[in-house]
Amino acid sequence: MPVAAVIKVLVVDDQNSVRQMTRITLEQIGVRHIHEAENGKQAMNTASLQPLDLIISDYNMPEMDGLTLLRAVRGHPAARKVPFILLTGRGDRELVTQAAQAGANNYLIKPFTADILRQKIEQVMGKLT
Amino acid sequence: MSSLDQLKQTFFDECSEALQQIELGLPDIRDGSGSEDTINAVFRGVHSVKGGAGIFGFEDLVRFAHVLETVLDEMRSGRLAATEEIVDTLLQANDVLTDLISMSRSGDAIPPDFGSECRAALQQILAANGGGGEDDSPAPADFEGIDFVPVQINFDEPEDNSAASGENEFQIVFRPKPELLKKANEPLYIIRELRKLGTLDLVAELDRLPPLTELEADTPYLGWTGTLRTPAAREQVDEVFEFVVGDCELEITQVGAMPSFDLGPEAPAAAASSWEGMVGSVVPPDVGGDVPTMEFSPSVVPPAGPPAAPSAHAEPVAPAFAETIAVPMTPPPASTTPASMPAPAAPDQAEAAAPAPRPAAAKAPGTGATTTRVELEKIDRVVNMVGELVIAQAMLGQVVHGLPEDVSGRLVQVLEEVTHHTRELKDSVMSMRAQQVNAVFQRMPRLVRELATKTAKKVKLELAGENTEVDRSIIERLGDPLTHIIRNSVDHGIETPADRAAAGKSEEGTIRLSAEHRGGRIVIEIRDDGAGINSERVLQKARERGLVSPDAVLGDDEINNLIFLPGFSTAEKISDISGRGVGMDVVRRNIQDVGGRISLKSERGKGMTIQLALPLTLAVMDGMVIRVGSETYVMPMSAIVECLRPPASDIHALIGTPGMLRLRGNLVPLVQLCDLLDIGSSASGADERVIIITDAGEGARFGIVVDELCGHQQVVVKSIEESYGSVPGIAGATILGNGRVAFILDVEKLSDIASSQNVQTGVTRFVNGESKVAMAVN
């Protein structure tokens, strides 16, 4: 069972306010090690150099969208097995299906509460302690 | 401000940027010059606004943004054509969005029906296009029936991930003792050295930290424990602590064996094969452990089958996989410190304990330059400090120049260096405060749109030089005057389409708003191709209001400048657009208050041009230090036309006034500064007095008589408003090199004071440099 205070999470979103809110929500459920990236390139940089236990990424970003990032992550030797949750603001069933096929482990619709976040993370990683 | 409030502010800043993207993109889409990127950028703008609004609970904003977003989504996926009408509706929607954001930001109550008309129009567009789902509410919380990849994560195992491809793992416990600090060693440097060896994961122990009042600066209270993953050998790790080994509690334990090529279970084959297809590069075989590895070595042995790992979901690797080895990416050299590594662990922990406000990082839209957001307060503080530095350095200069030659020689050289650097520092810092005039210009298109609609006229606004930079202090003062001038232009300048057609002009009027740097100032021009000023009517009104004597003869330019007089308005009906009372006189006052000039040119039937000339900054200026009696003042160089010391014979006395100076055929009225400021003059004879010719606007000149010119210098302007309020004639204060405070004179106001004092003697002001003296001088 993953210990919330120990797991390392990367939050990817071009909007700083959303990144911060996600950070705050993660902290609410006990996560302490939170990396941030504001675009796909930074995210890949972090993912290839840092050991990560979870990536939470927005879909709608300029230059590299979340789906493309997912595919890049899944193709990278260091990061390919890192659980990936895709954030989307539009409940787009097609997008979510595509994400699942590309190797996403779960999805989240913005805005989300701490409870929903926890739920989705636990669906992927097991109960958080 | 609570951190949530700070986040909200960040969100609203993001909204401003998003709105700009939309504002810029929609016109391009409308006239067909937009690309796929354009519509995507516009969509993303609205999407970002909606996303953030949802998070912060601005429901009205979410609802409206959602419909707008849906229309844009249809457009960008090609299912909806971007016709002119539709884009016009989108432009209106952007205006509604802007207002909603504004109201959410200020906390004003949003009227329940706000934007409903526009929203209905948007929904109609969707309906007409094939009923884009009557989906007023945003997304459902969950989708059924989508299979996600189950993940193999096993957190019960020790983090073994480094035990592969030549990495060692060391558990480190490091607790400095007082001796360590006494010997001038610094734990931070040691931690940094450790970091250079590989990946360092430290947790600080804070339990020994006493309360602040008991804290002793030279005693270490912190300890650190954690892991270091490095290809380096034990000896290298020991080396880092070489000099401090006796002065701290130190434990270094190597964890895990050397690289093992046992391979863990592959993730479910189904997912794996789909990854292959997606990425287009071959995925290398798993290299050990269930948790992702840091490094990857090409010499990995192909999978040997499932090891004794406890995972219950183990599945054998698909054989097709086994043969493949590839190097899709260059593994990062282990010894480099990853650039994206967060700040060293210790400060990180400290941050967790005491969260500090973090400056947000953002990319400026469309400029390609990397920018960062810093609170204005911080910049202003730096500007202040640099100002103090400039003053201190000036004082230093004075002291040095007062020293005997043999002492001061080397000092002067060094001082030159310091002066040079200070000047560069000042320039850099001032440029931080510089903002593009676009900050003000960008509000204008919407203003013109709304005014044109209200007055049923067709008006186009052209912008030029919107990237011209100017200090924020000026930007803030530009908004109101510009708004008023443009309002006037649309309301009174540009004719109705019918009138324009009758006059042989195009039905659409054009207003051109431009900014450029010229001669050390920023010049902003507002040019319209309307009807120009109706001189007869202006003169008539002026006569009616007694602003001008009935038989005065005025040239065209003089007549045009009459609109700057207070209380002037030629509007037959006071439209609610330009209103009453906020006349051009207030505009001029606003401009003059910041040390600027306003002038206008008009051609009947062709149009009108208004020019604003403003200083580049209010914070620092070139000043002339002058002395009157025993008092020192500073006059802005920008106000000085020339200085001279004329012979007494050139000064013509007029009863009751300080006299007139004959200057190249013109007569310039004089003002004694000592009288104006009510201070005793020094005893210098009339021949020694210096006269400073200043320009009070519209060519009206007068000469200020002072005792002495003491030199010119760059002067840091300090406001006295807080302590003294607004003092007529004084624009601010500064500290001179000799450490004394000097007031900065407000030359325009002084001229007003002088004229009002002279009113009884009937000396009128100059207009256009020609003398018009009511009282004859013989």
Side-chain angles (χ1 to χ4, degrees):
Chain A
M1 284 198 298
V3 179
V6 168
I7 61 172
K8 303 178 187 56
V9 182
L10 169 64
V11 176
V12 188
D13 196 313
D14 60 319
Q15 266 182 289
N16 189 25
S17 55
V18 174
R19 268 201 322 272
Q20 296 314 313
M21 280 308 284
T22 309
R23 166 183 281 269
I24 290 180
T25 316
L26 281 169
E27 284 169 358
Q28 275 177 358
I29 60 178
V31 179
R32 290 289 165 257
H33 298 272
I34 302 170
H35 297 279
E36 286 180 43
E38 60 175 6
N39 57 45
K41 186 158 156 225
Q42 277 184 16
M44 279 313 293
N45 204 23
T46 308
S48 59
L49 298 172
Q50 301 288 338
L52 293 173
D53 301 307
L54 175 64
I55 298 176
I56 300 180
S57 169
D58 191 18
Y59 168 66
N60 226 297
M61 299 187 288
E63 282 167 36
M64 198 197 281
D65 67 34
L67 200 51
T68 313
L69 173 61
L70 168 62
R71 291 177 181 143
V73 166
R74 286 287 171 258
H76 190 286
R80 44 189 280 264
K81 304 195 76 181
V82 177
F84 194 109
I85 296 182
L86 189 66
L87 281 187
T88 165
R90 295 184 64 75
D92 189 341
R93 201 200 157 81
E94 199 192 296
L95 168 66
V96 171
T97 314
Q98 271 186 301
Q101 283 170 352
N105 303 94
N106 212 335
Y107 72 99
L108 252 182
I109 302 190
K110 297 188 284 190
F112 49 85
T113 61
D115 285 331
I116 294 189
L117 177 63
R118 180 190 213 103
Q119 211 179 58
K120 296 279 182 172
I121 294 183
E122 286 181 345
Q123 275 171 12
V124 170
M125 300 169 101
K127 190 128 183 63
L128 277 180
T129 55
Chain B
M1 201 189 296
S2 78
S3 56
L4 185 64
D5 287 332
Q6 257 180 324
L7 276 188
K8 281 190 185 166
Q9 283 316 306
T10 308
F11 164 62
F12 285 121
D13 288 338
E14 287 167 358
C15 282
S16 301
E17 285 181 9
L19 287 173
Q20 231 189 329
Q21 291 274 51
I22 303 170
E23 177 80 47
L24 286 175
L26 283 177
D28 284 345
I29 296 175
R30 187 177 192 273
D31 64 33
S33 63
S35 66
E36 208 181 288
D37 280 341
T38 320
I39 177 84
N40 273 325
V42 172
F43 170 83
R44 260 203 316 278
V46 177
H47 180 78
S48 299
V49 169
K50 189 187 96 167
I55 291 181
F56 294 103
F58 298 117
E59 294 306 325
D60 294 287
L61 190 48
V62 173
R63 264 196 300 275
F64 189 83
H66 179 74
V67 183
L68 180 53
E69 186 197 54
T70 312
V71 173
L72 287 166
D73 198 25
E74 295 292 296
M75 229 186 242
R76 74 172 178 155
S77 43
R79 293 191 287 265
L80 175 66
T83 66
E84 260 186 32
E85 284 105 11
I86 291 187
V87 180
D88 280 339
T89 309
L90 290 178
L91 278 164
Q92 277 176 23
N94 190 35
D95 290 342
V96 172
L97 193 68
T98 310
D99 288 339
L100 280 171
I101 290 174
S102 238
M103 288 190 271
S104 305
R105 184 177 207 155
S106 59
D108 291 336
I110 299 177
D113 264 342
F114 194 82
S116 55
E117 223 180 84
C118 192
R119 176 144 40 120
L122 290 171
Q123 276 165 340
Q124 236 197 349
I125 293 177
L126 289 172
N129 199 46
E134 203 19 71
D135 181 8
D136 206 11
S137 64
D142 234 333
F143 290 115
E144 300 300 314
I146 301 186
D147 283 323
F148 280 98
V149 178
V151 163
Q152 309 299 305
I153 299 292
N154 203 323
F155 285 92
D156 293 332
E157 297 232 313
E159 284 197 5
D160 221 310
N161 45 327
S162 63
S165 22
E167 247 195 332
N168 296 323
E169 188 177 338
F170 301 96
Q171 296 275 39
I172 300 188
V173 175
F174 172 47
R175 294 187 191 114
K177 294 193 200 148
E179 290 73 32
L180 191 147
L181 295 184
K182 288 205 179 99
K183 291 186 190 168
N185 284 306
E186 170 61 67
L188 182 59
Y189 296 154
I190 294 173
I191 293 177
R192 279 191 188 148
E193 284 302 315
L194 262 188
R195 220 171 21 116
K196 287 190 189 154
L197 294 178
T199 319
L200 187 59
D201 231 329
L202 286 184
V203 173
E205 297 169 344
L206 306 174
D207 42 342
R208 281 186 297 150
L209 263 184
L212 191 58
T213 46
E214 291 163 35
L215 195 83
E216 283 185 279
D218 50 359
T219 311
Y221 298 100
L222 300 177
W224 292 272
T225 63
T227 39
L228 169 69
R229 266 171 238 122
T230 169
R234 172 63 190 254
E235 297 82 87
Q236 280 168 281
V237 181
D238 284 343
E239 237 182 70
V240 172
F241 294 97
E242 193 180 0
F243 297 106
V244 300
V245 79
D247 302 326
C248 57
E249 273 179 57
L250 181 60
E251 282 167 37
I252 305 177
T253 345
Q254 185 149 4
V255 167
M258 284 302 286
S260 97
F261 292 100
D262 279 347
L263 299 165
E266 183 59 277
S273 50
S274 68
W275 295 345
E276 244 187 300
M278 288 298 173
V279 180
S281 69
V282 184
V283 179
D286 196 14
V287 186
D290 290 331
V291 188
T293 62
M294 274 291 301
E295 264 208 334
F296 153 74
S297 149
S299 61
V300 163
V301 173
S311 170
H313 307 281
E315 280 183 60
V317 178
F321 236 63
E323 267 67 68
T324 59
I325 294 180
V327 190
M329 296 195 200
T330 323
S335 55
T336 53
T337 308
S340 63
M341 183 142 205
D348 225 3
Q349 303 309 312
E351 214 187 8
R358 33 179 119 235
K363 250 195 158 65
T367 61
T370 321
T371 61
T372 195
R373 257 196 269 274
V374 179
E375 287 157 30
L376 262 189
E377 255 177 49
K378 293 187 182 173
I379 296 195
D380 285 342
R381 245 180 291 152
V382 174
V383 170
N384 249 357
M385 286 189 263
V386 173
E388 301 292 331
L389 188 61
V390 166
I391 291 173
Q393 176 224 294
M395 291 204 257
L396 189 59
Q398 287 242 325
V399 169
V400 166
H401 286 293
L403 294 173
E405 274 286 336
D406 51 343
V407 176
S408 70
R410 176 84 178 114
L411 260 181
V412 169
Q413 258 185 307
V414 177
L415 186 59
E416 291 265 321
E417 282 251 353
V418 173
T419 309
H420 173 71
H421 290 305
T422 312
R423 201 176 305 135
E424 287 198 339
L425 179 61
K426 186 207 66 154
D427 288 340
S428 283
V429 161
M430 290 311 292
S431 77
M432 275 201 276
R433 282 171 48 116
Q435 238 190 331
Q436 294 183 357
V437 285
N438 199 31
V440 177
F441 279 19
Q442 70 191 21
R443 292 185 242 148
M444 301 300 145
R446 178 179 178 181
L447 177 67
V448 169
R449 265 204 305 276
E450 287 177 353
L451 291 176
T453 316
K454 265 203 201 138
T455 57
K457 296 180 184 172
K458 292 207 179 132
V459 187
K460 178 169 70 168
L461 179 68
E462 275 176 12
L463 298 177
E466 60 265 32
N467 295 325
T468 312
E469 289 194 345
V470 115
D471 190 73
R472 329 186 57 86
S473 49
I474 304 279
I475 297 267
E476 285 155 17
R477 316 286 207 106
L478 259 187
D480 286 344
L482 260 191
T483 306
H484 191 77
I485 293 174
I486 290 192
R487 280 198 162 141
N488 266 351
S489 218
V490 178
D491 205 18
H492 303 303
I494 307 280
E495 315 92 321
T496 61
D499 287 341
R500 286 183 69 89
K505 294 183 179 174
S506 62
E507 280 196 357
E508 201 183 35
T510 305
I511 300 180
R512 189 166 183 276
L513 178 59
S514 67
E516 68 171 337
H517 285 288
R518 215 192 291 170
R521 311 203 112 207
I522 176 170
V523 176
I524 297 184
E525 211 179 69
I526 306 104
R527 190 187 324 182
D528 71 48
D529 62 357
I533 292 184
N534 184 337
S535 325
E536 285 102 47
R537 233 169 69 202
V538 166
L539 191 52
Q540 193 191 0
K541 289 286 174 186
R543 287 198 176 116
E544 279 172 20
R545 284 160 211 208
L547 299 167
V548 143
S549 65
D551 51 348
V553 170
L554 302 173
D556 273 340
D557 274 346
E558 294 162 332
I559 297 180
N560 290 340
N561 281 307
L562 287 175
I563 66 171
F564 287 117
L565 293 174
F568 193 95
S569 169
T570 58
E572 237 89 80
K573 358 179 259 240
I574 311 289
S575 67
D576 72 313
I577 300 179
S578 301
R580 181 213 295 266
V582 186
M584 288 304 278
D585 63 317
V586 175
V587 171
R588 186 173 71 169
R589 178 50 65 197
N590 279 348
I591 300 293
Q592 286 175 341
D593 275 347
V594 298
R597 295 282 155 70
I598 180 171
S599 63
L600 69 78
K601 270 202 270 285
S602 163
E603 214 180 314
R604 196 69 188 284
K606 293 254 180 75
M608 180 165 81
T609 304
I610 294 187
Q611 225 185 50
L612 310 173
L614 300 164
L616 289 176
T617 175
L618 294 185
V620 176
M621 73 169 187
D622 281 319
M624 176 72 82
V625 183
I626 59 177
R627 181 181 62 82
V628 181
S630 57
E631 298 294 328
T632 317
Y633 293 93
V634 173
M635 199 178 287
M637 286 293 251
S638 56
I640 299 179
V641 176
E642 65 183 287
C643 308
L644 49 141
R645 195 188 271 147
S649 51
D650 280 350
I651 301 184
H652 299 261
L654 268 185
I655 312 147
T657 77
M660 297 268 196
L661 170 70
R662 190 193 6 222
L663 184 64
R664 295 188 292 271
N666 290 330
L667 280 177
V668 180
L670 295 177
V671 167
Q672 294 274 19
L673 194 56
C674 53
D675 292 338
L676 213 48
L677 299 174
D678 214 5
I679 40 182
S681 158
S682 74
S684 21
D687 270 348
E688 282 161 31
R689 298 264 178 88
V690 177
I691 296 182
I692 301 175
I693 310 292
T694 74
D695 196 327
E698 294 89 54
R701 293 190 172 176
F702 64 108
I704 300 181
V705 183
V706 302
D707 289 347
E708 190 187 342
L709 294 182
C710 305
H712 68 96
Q713 60 179 81
Q714 287 236 307
V715 141
V716 177
V717 179
K718 301 257 178 211
S719 165
I720 56 170
E721 295 239 348
E722 260 184 60
S723 321
Y724 299 107
S726 183
V727 179
I730 305 290
T734 185
I735 301 181
L736 298 175
N738 60 12
R740 312 205 45 210
V741 175
F743 284 122
I744 301 171
L745 299 175
D746 179 345
V747 171
E748 316 269 13
K749 283 225 182 69
L750 284 182
S751 88
D752 286 348
I753 298 174
S755 341
S756 63
Q757 283 183 356
N758 283 334
V759 145
Q760 309 91 306
T761 62
V763 174
T764 61
R765 293 207 13 221
F766 272 16
V767 179
N768 286 342
E770 289 164 26
S771 67
K772 288 178 175 9
V773 182
M775 225 160 117
V777 178
N778 281 332

